[in-house]
Amino acid sequence: MANYRRLWLILIATLAVTFALLGYFGTEVYRAAPPIPDQVVNENGQTLMTEDSILDGQTAWQSVGGMQLGSIWGHGAYQAPDWTADWLHRELLAWLNIAALETYGTPYSNLSGPEQNDLQYRLKTAYRTNTYDPETGTLTLSDRRIRAIRETADYYSRLFSDAPELRTTREHYAMKEDTLPNAERRERLTEFFFWTAWAASTDRPGSDATYTNNWPHEPLIDNQPTAENIVWSIVSIVLLIAGVGGLVWAWSFLRKHDEEEPSAPASDPLSLVKLTPSQKALGKYLFLVVALLAFQVMMGGVTAHYTVEGQSFYGFDLSKWFPYSLVRTWHIQAALFWIATGFLAAGLFLAPIINGGKDPKFQKLGVDILFWALVLVVTGSFIGNFLAIAQIMPPELNFWLGHQGYEFVDLGRLWQIGKFTGIAFWLVLMLRGIVPALKQPGDKNLLALLTASVVAIGLFYGAGFFYGERTPISIMEYWRWWIVHLWVEGFFEVFATTALAFIFCSMGLVSRTIATSSSLASASLFMLGGVPGTFHHLYFAGTTTPVMAVGATFSALEVVPLVVLGYEAWENWRLKSSAPWMEKVRWPLMFFVAVAFWNMLGAGVFGFMINPPIALYYIQGLNTTPTHAHAALFGVYGFLALGFTLLILRYLRPNLVFNERLMKTGFWWLNGGLVLMLFTSLLPIGIIQFLASAGEGLWYARSEAFLQGDLLQTLRWVRTFGDVVFIVGALAVGWQVVSALFFPNRVPVGATPAEAASEA
């Protein structure tokens, strides 16, 4: 360890400091969370709603799909409105009309400019003034505001029912008819929507900014970016430039060049190790990867089509059984399941190699049990999603068996426990192969880092259990992003980097010294920005300026290591020429090269596009977010999981010759489809929405009138081309895996005579 002591100390210090920041300012999230009043009363003290009724509304919202149908505080789906911004704007307009009729005897639209300005001043004063009493837990509302709330609530109650006058609106929002059949639960739902809008329009005590840092942009009450927002946005950009400069300087002057790269061995060392029973059992994992991939891309195509036909699929009324909120849930959950399966398979394939080519006792049994447990969790969670959104499942069971309502953790809590148990069991299977190897003499630093990343993956998914069904949404968001950001973008990133380094080192292509040093340095860089950078998702989720400052500062540093990914891509690519036998793993290497490209573009460029507070203030909840999400989630983790899948497949089928036609179609059509999807549809729509949000407000950028304009409708139709290309690519890769698993002796198209002979 002495040779790596400095790198280990840097990594340990980085983790200590960054997790201290995440924990310390996490307490700030709890302390400063927008209060849910014990009771909301009128000026005469009559109770209108209570904390329990507001939280009942939150559970009602969760049961219809939650963040998969519209969004709250900018987090969620993008076809229906952001319910916070939409409710707030509708309530403000209702208040202005009521005030105009009471004051001037005519609707607000008929008033003169000075008269409108007078009422807008009164409106801002009424809404920004905080009438919540923390001593009694009571929020007092004026009679005029109560009338505006009731008028807005009536609209929402009809929208979530089957009221015929709003059928077209529901179709435009991709809502099924009678989304929430129970009238009492619809009333509770409106109370929850009101509370989110109250937090977004009411000044924090002792501050001139709302509980959500003046988000969303709403000119009627002067919701504008705060001064702190602008300052920390500039700081983040300066830090990005400084970080990039520092990295280039360190890369040029501090990187050691004195160690020669090893000569590639005459034959693949991994192919000389006999497959163990547990490794042979991984074929079904690879099949599950491509089966879920195929399902996911099909659901993605349906989800995208719902943005142009909100209740139909080319005329067929699909929403009766499979509405937008359900297929979008399945689309996202299937992606997480197949990508995770690919990573789990990679770890299980490495475990016997680490253990000297031997299986620990009962390892194959454990691999089989884990697989069927994974199938059970996938099937059970999907059925639960269906029953919840169909409103068949009893409300009291929804959170546990149906739909949590939170994007990326949509599965019911019971299935979430099952998933965590499976990951913990995977950790045990991994450690059974790793721990004996750690006891052997020799340099174990790379293996120690791999072990640490495996342990982190196994344990940190448990962060999702720190919130419950009735946890206030601002606190829930803190823990949700531990999973979505920290677990996925942090620890999986370190595991992937270290696992690839270990594989290339085991192949004799990279020296252990270089592999270890690079992995340790990369881990420090990923964690430095990644851990406290979690807060950049929480700028407007009921947090305070310190949280924004930490999130803006460190999220800028997340982008820094991505600037050298072009070099990483070149290093991966040149490995294919290091030995003749590397031709057999050329296609897995191609997928790893794609990972580097999309990491730079999707996580780097598109990630920083939405990271600074001033940018996210206007574009949170717009199509700029799925631009980043698609490019980063599939472009990075999707291609990485497929690369692992193809690499394992090549060793499970030693005589495999990849079908050139299938692989060229799969690789290039996946990349081309993703490019088309992003640059001909999602990104242009996001930019157009950004202009609308900055000019009129978020409510308008997500409104029915704006999104149903001819240009945006055309751009959503254009996405069909990218989706079709992408689906063809996914099916081509899927068929390559399936045919190799089930028809291993079939000679592939494009095989040379020598390759055909080897197949025979």
Side-chain angles (χ1 to χ4, degrees):
M1 178 175 175
N3 294 334
Y4 308 105
R5 184 179 301 276
R6 184 174 64 173
L7 291 172
W8 275 112
L9 290 176
I10 291 173
L11 177 58
I12 293 169
T14 298
L15 291 172
V17 171
T18 54
F19 271 100
L21 288 170
L22 187 64
Y24 177 80
F25 288 101
T27 62
E28 176 74 3
V29 171
Y30 276 79
R31 185 194 67 79
I36 301 179
D38 292 339
Q39 56 180 347
V40 180
V41 302
N42 64 13
E43 291 170 328
N44 296 322
Q46 181 182 356
T47 300
L48 306 172
M49 58 188 87
T50 65
E51 179 183 14
D52 283 341
S53 69
I54 292 170
L55 290 175
D56 285 343
Q58 178 176 297
T59 63
W61 166 72
Q62 291 167 297
S63 74
V64 298
M67 290 180 177
Q68 302 294 358
L69 184 65
S71 58
I72 293 291
W73 292 345
H75 293 298
Y78 310 98
Q79 185 64 15
D82 179 87
W83 304 120
T84 301
D86 188 71
W87 175 288
L88 178 59
H89 190 74
R90 290 179 184 277
E91 185 187 325
L92 295 177
L93 291 181
W95 190 98
L96 287 172
N97 264 319
I98 293 168
L101 290 170
E102 289 178 347
T103 307
Y104 298 104
T106 188
Y108 177 76
S109 58
N110 293 341
L111 298 181
S112 64
E115 291 170 336
Q116 288 187 346
N117 289 338
D118 172 56
L119 289 185
Q120 282 192 29
Y121 175 79
R122 295 194 217 172
L123 175 76
K124 176 185 174 182
T125 302
Y127 274 75
R128 298 296 291 255
T129 300
N130 196 332
T131 58
Y132 171 72
D133 183 354
E135 297 296 326
T136 62
T138 300
L139 172 64
T140 304
L141 301 177
S142 67
D143 290 340
R144 180 179 292 170
R145 184 164 187 178
I146 292 170
R147 289 175 60 191
I149 291 169
R150 287 175 175 163
E151 185 176 315
T152 309
D154 175 68
Y155 164 80
Y156 272 93
S157 184
R158 289 182 291 117
L159 178 66
F160 279 80
S161 71
D162 57 358
E165 68 272 16
L166 292 176
R167 179 182 175 86
T168 300
T169 298
R170 281 190 293 274
E171 183 177 357
H172 289 161
Y173 290 166
M175 297 172 64
K176 68 172 186 172
E177 293 300 304
D178 215 10
T179 302
L180 188 58
N182 186 290
E184 182 180 352
R185 298 192 79 205
R186 288 199 300 270
E187 184 177 350
R188 301 289 84 78
L189 176 71
T190 64
E191 294 176 5
F192 172 64
F193 286 170
F194 155 74
W195 175 80
T196 68
W198 172 81
S201 59
T202 303
D203 284 348
R204 228 179 241 285
S207 171
D208 58 358
T210 70
Y211 287 103
T212 57
N213 285 313
N214 283 0
W215 189 94
H217 180 215
E218 177 52 81
L220 285 177
I221 55 171
D222 205 22
N223 260 14
Q224 305 285 351
T226 62
E228 293 85 355
N229 182 311
I230 297 170
V231 168
W232 287 109
S233 297
I234 295 172
V235 168
S236 72
I237 295 170
V238 171
L239 281 175
L240 172 63
I241 297 171
V244 170
L247 180 62
V248 172
W249 184 275
W251 185 265
S252 302
F253 287 90
L254 302 180
R255 188 164 57 101
K256 293 183 178 180
H257 302 272
D258 52 348
E259 181 173 343
E260 292 186 7
E261 296 178 4
S263 299
S267 57
D268 182 356
L270 295 185
S271 67
L272 301 178
V273 180
K274 184 179 179 180
L275 288 173
T276 67
S278 73
Q279 289 175 317
K280 293 178 181 178
L282 293 176
K284 51 184 172 287
Y285 282 76
L286 308 188
F287 175 75
L288 184 61
V289 167
V290 295
L292 285 172
L293 168 64
F295 179 76
Q296 184 233 333
V297 297
M298 293 300 179
M299 290 300 98
V302 176
T303 302
H305 189 78
Y306 267 138
T307 65
V308 290
E309 283 189 275
Q311 295 180 338
S312 303
F313 187 73
Y314 293 100
F316 178 72
D317 188 3
L318 192 64
S319 67
K320 287 182 179 179
W321 301 278
F322 305 106
Y324 171 88
S325 56
L326 177 64
V327 296
R328 190 176 189 271
T329 297
W330 283 350
H331 171 62
I332 292 175
Q333 286 300 301
L336 297 178
F337 278 127
W338 75 256
I339 290 172
T341 302
F343 276 71
L344 298 183
L348 294 173
F349 180 77
L350 284 176
I353 296 174
I354 296 170
N355 196 39
K358 304 184 298 293
D359 269 345
K361 195 174 182 179
F362 302 120
Q363 184 79 350
K364 180 184 181 299
L365 177 62
V367 169
D368 290 339
I369 291 173
L370 178 60
F371 174 79
W372 292 112
L374 180 59
V375 170
L376 176 64
V377 169
V378 172
T379 305
S381 65
F382 281 9
I383 293 173
N385 294 153
F386 173 83
L387 295 175
I389 291 175
Q391 297 294 298
I392 296 172
M393 184 171 288
E396 62 272 13
L397 297 179
N398 175 75
F399 182 82
W400 284 93
L401 297 176
H403 202 301
Q404 289 193 36
Y406 300 129
E407 194 175 29
F408 297 106
V409 282
D410 306 272
L411 69 174
R413 177 54 57 88
L414 179 65
W415 309 115
Q416 186 183 12
I417 293 172
K419 186 176 179 179
F420 175 72
T421 304
I423 294 169
F425 186 57
W426 172 79
L427 170 60
V428 172
L429 294 176
M430 291 294 298
L431 291 179
R432 294 174 78 237
I434 291 174
V435 171
L438 287 172
K439 297 178 181 178
Q440 300 299 315
D443 182 358
K444 302 300 178 186
N445 286 275
L446 182 60
L447 184 56
L449 181 59
L450 180 65
T451 305
S453 67
V454 167
V455 171
I457 289 173
L459 298 181
F460 272 82
Y461 185 74
F465 300 129
F466 283 90
Y467 67 86
E469 180 179 12
R470 299 175 74 83
T471 300
I473 191 170
S474 56
I475 293 172
M476 178 283 305
E477 284 285 46
Y478 173 69
W479 293 111
R480 182 172 77 96
W481 287 109
W482 270 62
I483 298 176
V484 182
H485 179 95
L486 185 58
W487 186 64
V488 175
E489 297 182 35
F491 295 116
F492 264 109
E493 187 91 43
V494 174
F495 170 78
T497 300
T498 311
L500 278 176
F502 190 90
I503 290 170
F504 291 148
C505 180
S506 300
M507 286 179 166
L509 303 173
V510 179
S511 74
R512 184 169 295 275
T513 301
I514 291 177
T516 305
S517 300
S518 298
S519 297
L520 283 168
S522 296
S524 296
L525 284 172
F526 289 141
M527 294 293 101
L528 176 63
V531 176
T534 303
F535 285 124
H536 85 256
H537 299 283
L538 304 177
Y539 293 154
F540 312 116
T543 57
T544 52
T545 297
V547 171
M548 178 185 291
V550 173
T553 299
F554 284 92
S555 64
L557 299 178
E558 286 185 86
V559 183
V560 171
L562 304 182
V563 301
V564 296
L565 287 176
Y567 182 80
E568 178 188 319
W570 176 79
E571 283 197 323
N572 287 340
W573 173 247
R574 70 183 178 85
L575 290 176
K576 73 179 180 64
S577 304
S578 57
W581 53 266
M582 282 298 294
E583 180 64 23
K584 291 188 175 182
V585 294
R586 176 168 60 92
W587 283 110
L589 282 178
M590 289 286 287
F591 278 78
F592 297 145
V593 170
V595 169
F597 170 78
W598 286 108
N599 218 341
M600 179 274 296
L601 181 63
V605 176
F606 292 150
F608 191 73
M609 175 180 72
I610 64 174
N611 266 9
I614 190 63
L616 201 57
Y617 179 84
Y618 290 109
I619 62 180
Q620 180 158 293
L622 305 184
N623 275 267
T624 45
T625 302
T627 299
H628 160 63
H630 281 79
L633 183 59
F634 187 91
V636 179
Y637 299 100
F639 274 113
L640 190 56
L642 289 177
F644 282 143
T645 298
L646 293 172
L647 190 64
I648 297 168
L649 180 67
R650 179 258 176 276
Y651 290 106
L652 291 186
R653 296 292 182 265
N655 295 325
L656 171 67
V657 177
F658 286 111
N659 185 312
E660 284 295 305
R661 182 180 298 173
L662 280 177
M663 292 311 301
K664 285 180 179 178
T665 301
F667 180 80
W668 292 113
W669 285 50
L670 278 173
N671 280 281
L674 191 53
V675 168
L676 287 172
M677 191 189 308
L678 298 175
F679 289 98
T680 67
S681 184
L682 287 175
L683 185 58
I685 292 173
I687 292 172
I688 295 170
Q689 285 184 299
F690 168 49
L691 294 173
S693 175
E696 300 289 335
L698 182 76
W699 69 271
Y700 180 65
R702 291 279 297 276
S703 68
E704 178 183 12
F706 183 74
L707 287 178
Q708 296 306 312
D710 291 340
L711 176 58
L712 294 187
Q713 277 279 66
T714 300
L715 287 172
R716 290 199 295 274
W717 272 110
V718 166
R719 180 174 168 176
T720 304
F721 296 105
D723 285 352
V724 170
V725 171
F726 190 83
I727 290 170
V728 170
L731 294 179
V733 173
W735 182 244
Q736 171 66 89
V737 174
V738 170
S739 61
L741 288 173
F742 297 104
F743 312 106
N745 295 321
R746 179 176 295 177
V747 178
V749 175
T752 66
E755 291 169 336
S758 69
E759 279 291 293

